[in-house]
Amino acid sequence: MPETTPKGLTRLAFGGDYNPEQWPESVWAEDVRLMREAGVTMVSVGIFSWALLEPAPGEHDFGWLDRLLDLLHEHGVRVDLGTPTVVPPAWFYRDHPDALPVGADGVRYAFGSRGAICHSNADYRAAAADITTRLAERYGSHPALALWHVHNEYGVPVSACYCDSCAAHFRRWLTARYGTVDAVNAAWGTAFWGQRYADLEQITPPRTAPTVGNPGQNLDYKRFADATMRENFTAERDILHRLAPGIPVTTNFMTALSQCDSVDYWAWGREVDLVTNDHYLITDGRRTHVNLAMAADLTRSVAGGAPWLLLEHSTSGVNWQPRNPAKAPGQMARNSLAHVARGSEGAMFFQWRQSRRGAEKFHSAMLPHGGTDTRVWREVVELGSSVEALTAVKGTRTEADAAVLWDWHSWWAQTLQWRPSEDHDARERADAFYAALYDRHLTVDFAHPEADLSRYPLVVVPALYLTTEAAGANLRSYVEGGGTLVVSCFSGIVDEHDAVHEGPYPGALRDVLGLTVEEFSPLLAGDTVRLDGPDGATLDADVWTEFVVPRGAETVWRYADGLTAGLPAVTRHALGEGTAWYVSTRLGAEGLDAVLALAGQDARIAPRADLPRDVEVVRRSGESGTFLFAVNHTAADAKVPLEGTGTELLTGERAAGRLAVPAGAVRVVRLDG
């Protein structure tokens, strides 16, 4: 089995992308001196260096990288070494212009950014294999090498290409998936609009057409584009495994639903030796720490619950959003340690030294333009000390209370054109349900709809438009075995080919939910409906309603107005030893909390009324002990109940009873016993 932890890294990872090629070599000595001062344990090197390593076809210059790795090793800094295949050099595109990707509109992108790659292009694949082989042969046994870093952020900014090479590759992919053109026709429903194909050679990528194209074809092309990128990753990975055994291989994911929508991370998580992730706060007015927690929980889940690594985030502001505010004092440490609480084996940044030139010169860094006499640098040094103090956490696992089901294929299908309402957004529902669980102080695992769910007392399904028969059977078995299920509207509707399940909605979920839906009734923009519920309680909803007919389910909330007035809005179905709840409309935070409170009673999950809002408490446990992380995202001091006694690792103080967590601070208690 391949190694799954960075070789030689005995502490948590702390550091960032190091791009010394942007600076005179005379700066390197200062860099490593300051790295030692900050407590840096690992840096990522060479990710964007192809043009320096191979300045002309077949001509290589490894001398600078030799000297750099030797210098880092001398100063005790481990290396995450990149294969630079995200940025082929200008000479490569001059010689192979067809390696640049083509958009659905037929326009070929130009050189001058990053990630401009047709992943089906044979010349690119050969060149990527060659530079990867040369790096593995030269550095596979270097004493500084801890981890291989293939490519960079697959799927960003381009995942799909629509050129003729991709068309031929797509046809090969379809042959492997379906076997015959008749099977493709059946899966895509090409009888509609006279789209039937007589031969696979007639099939092209779903390029720009006069109106909406075939949804089955569009969905499969998303799958194909993702699989094609993954083919290139595994090709490089296999070279590295063969030539540098014992060194784990990763590529940096972007699991946050706010940052990448073209990659099926369930599939990718099975291919890397160590799951790593990049996360950046989306500063659109939301509670950014909730999105952070959600991304960390999702990353840990992609890793199968095992420890993972935050490979990039920012010390302060970024530069690629419309507005890029600085992080408040203490926020960098709070963000970093919140990731660690949820399973990360450290906190890495983009980047070490802030660039003076290029597209990301206003992106914050560990060593800012202002140098060491800055708030950011002082906080970096303090954080390095805190990360070192948490060494004992290494290798432990985060404990979860509930699960949220998520499937990228379902998300892709729901975002295709001509759905009942463009306002009903799968990502928005995932964010909303996650925030409701977060506010109930529940730590969440994410799970695939066909995964084993038996260990979770509560499973929430915020959006599962595409639901396979296997997933439907899995959820029924979960409920019958004693689980509590909460399903949101427009779930269970289509199969893996985007074909509506036979019979009434909600297709694959109608038996477990104990109901049918006669018709969807989306609301116009700005319209709302009122729901009447238990003990006279009322709720407001918007965007979506349904004509629900109970078939064994009981009505808990009922529509009070609108076209669906008098019909069930929220139902509960007792099935076997468990219960299944259905929410047929879009509820806000208050409504979701009310439903989850009742579902939590079914699941026997005790409420955490003793914890203030936006103070998160998460546990990690393993052979080295049990660790309670308390993260205070508020401007007020907080008290967190503590079961038993322990030692607070960041201050060294003993803790018992109620743990004091100052405003904006983090406390980590290693519990006794």
Side-chain angles (χ1 to χ4, degrees), residues 306-317:
W308 56 279
L309 178 59
L310 175 66
L311 206 53
E312 286 185 30
H313 72 314
S314 66
T315 57
S316 192

Side-chain angles (χ1 to χ4, degrees), residues 5-16 38-44 76-80 146-147 274-276 308-313 336-337 339-340 343-349 366 383-391 393-395 620:
T5 58
K7 183 178 179 180
L9 191 63
T10 57
R11 292 154 50 191
L12 296 179
F14 182 65
V40 167
T41 60
M42 187 168 74
V43 292
S44 301
V77 179
R78 308 296 294 159
V79 171
D80 166 34
L147 182 66
L274 169 67
V275 167
T276 61
W308 56 279
L309 178 59
L310 175 66
L311 206 53
E312 286 185 30
H313 72 314
S336 300
L337 299 183
H339 282 289
V340 175
S344 177
E345 295 284 82
M348 305 276 285
F349 295 90
M366 299 176 77
L383 176 59
S385 178
S386 296
V387 170
E388 182 177 8
L390 299 181
T391 298
V393 171
K394 192 173 187 297
R620 287 184 63 161

Side-chain angles (χ1 to χ4, degrees), residues 411-465:
W411 189 20
W412 297 341
Q414 188 172 332
T415 56
L416 296 174
Q417 293 172 292
W418 286 13
R419 299 313 186 223
S421 172
E422 64 180 18
D423 296 327
H424 183 44
D425 178 11
R427 180 198 150 193
E428 183 279 330
R429 283 293 80 189
D431 287 345
F433 272 90
Y434 182 89
L437 292 164
Y438 180 96
D439 285 340
R440 298 191 71 78
H441 300 285
L442 299 177
T443 302
V444 168
D445 278 348
F446 285 80
H448 188 274
E450 296 178 16
D452 179 9
L453 305 171
S454 58
R455 66 183 179 278
Y456 302 108
L458 174 66
V459 170
V460 174
V461 184
L464 197 61
Y465 161 75

Side-chain angles (χ1 to χ4, degrees), residues 15-86:
D17 283 35
Y18 183 34
N19 299 295
E21 58 267 32
Q22 300 178 23
W23 307 92
E25 195 164 337
S26 58
V27 175
W28 297 2
E30 179 187 18
D31 281 331
V32 293
R33 177 181 64 80
L34 292 175
M35 287 179 190
R36 293 186 63 137
E37 181 180 332
V40 167
T41 60
M42 187 168 74
V43 292
S44 301
V45 171
I47 298 166
F48 302 106
S49 300
W50 195 341
L52 293 179
L53 294 169
E54 190 175 6
E59 298 179 14
H60 297 89
D61 178 8
F62 294 107
W64 67 273
L65 189 54
D66 292 346
R67 296 190 296 277
L68 178 65
L69 266 58
D70 290 346
L71 180 65
L72 291 167
H73 176 62
E74 179 184 343
H75 288 80
V77 179
R78 308 296 294 159
V79 171
D80 166 34
L81 184 57
T83 66
T85 51
V86 69

Side-chain angles (χ1 to χ4, degrees), residues 7-268:
K7 183 178 179 180
L9 191 63
T10 57
R11 292 154 50 191
L12 296 179
F14 182 65
D17 283 35
Y18 183 34
N19 299 295
E21 58 267 32
Q22 300 178 23
W23 307 92
E25 195 164 337
S26 58
V27 175
W28 297 2
E30 179 187 18
D31 281 331
V32 293
R33 177 181 64 80
L34 292 175
M35 287 179 190
R36 293 186 63 137
E37 181 180 332
V40 167
T41 60
M42 187 168 74
V43 292
S44 301
V45 171
I47 298 166
F48 302 106
S49 300
W50 195 341
L52 293 179
L53 294 169
E54 190 175 6
E59 298 179 14
H60 297 89
D61 178 8
F62 294 107
W64 67 273
L65 189 54
D66 292 346
R67 296 190 296 277
L68 178 65
L69 266 58
D70 290 346
L71 180 65
L72 291 167
H73 176 62
E74 179 184 343
H75 288 80
V77 179
R78 308 296 294 159
V79 171
D80 166 34
L81 184 57
T83 66
T85 51
V86 69
V87 283
W91 60 256
F92 174 80
Y93 289 118
R94 177 202 63 201
D95 295 345
H96 308 287
D98 57 348
L100 286 163
V102 173
D105 59 0
V107 175
R108 191 178 296 277
Y109 293 101
F111 173 77
S113 181
R114 67 169 195 180
I117 297 164
C118 167
H119 283 277
S120 295
N121 184 269
D123 294 314
Y124 168 76
R125 290 185 168 203
D130 179 73
I131 192 66
T132 299
T133 298
R134 292 176 185 274
L135 286 166
E137 289 175 340
R138 191 173 189 94
Y139 301 111
S141 59
H142 194 285
L145 183 61
L147 182 66
W148 286 110
H149 183 309
V150 170
H151 204 269
N152 184 72
E153 295 177 346
Y154 280 97
V156 178
V158 178
S159 59
C161 172
Y162 297 80
C163 72
D164 289 341
S165 292
C166 287
H169 192 180
F170 184 43
R171 289 189 285 269
R172 293 193 298 273
W173 184 87
L174 290 172
T175 299
R177 182 175 178 86
Y178 293 106
T180 66
V181 69
D182 288 342
V184 175
N185 283 318
W188 292 358
T190 57
F192 186 77
W193 277 2
Q195 296 170 341
R196 184 173 180 81
Y197 297 100
D199 190 284
L200 284 168
E201 291 302 312
Q202 298 172 353
I203 298 175
T204 64
R207 296 166 176 148
T208 302
T211 187
V212 175
N214 185 290
Q217 180 185 18
N218 277 278
L219 178 57
D220 266 348
Y221 205 74
K222 290 177 182 291
R223 290 172 171 139
F224 160 75
D226 176 59
T228 303
M229 292 188 294
R230 199 160 58 249
E231 285 177 13
N232 286 350
F233 166 76
T234 57
E236 292 188 43
R237 179 204 63 195
D238 292 348
I239 291 169
L240 297 170
H241 278 169
R242 176 170 53 85
L243 297 177
I247 306 297
V249 180
T250 191
T251 185
N252 45 339
F253 295 169
M254 297 194 75
T255 63
L257 305 184
S258 55
Q259 288 167 321
C260 184
D261 63 359
S262 60
V263 176
D264 176 5
Y265 285 117
W266 293 126
W268 283 77

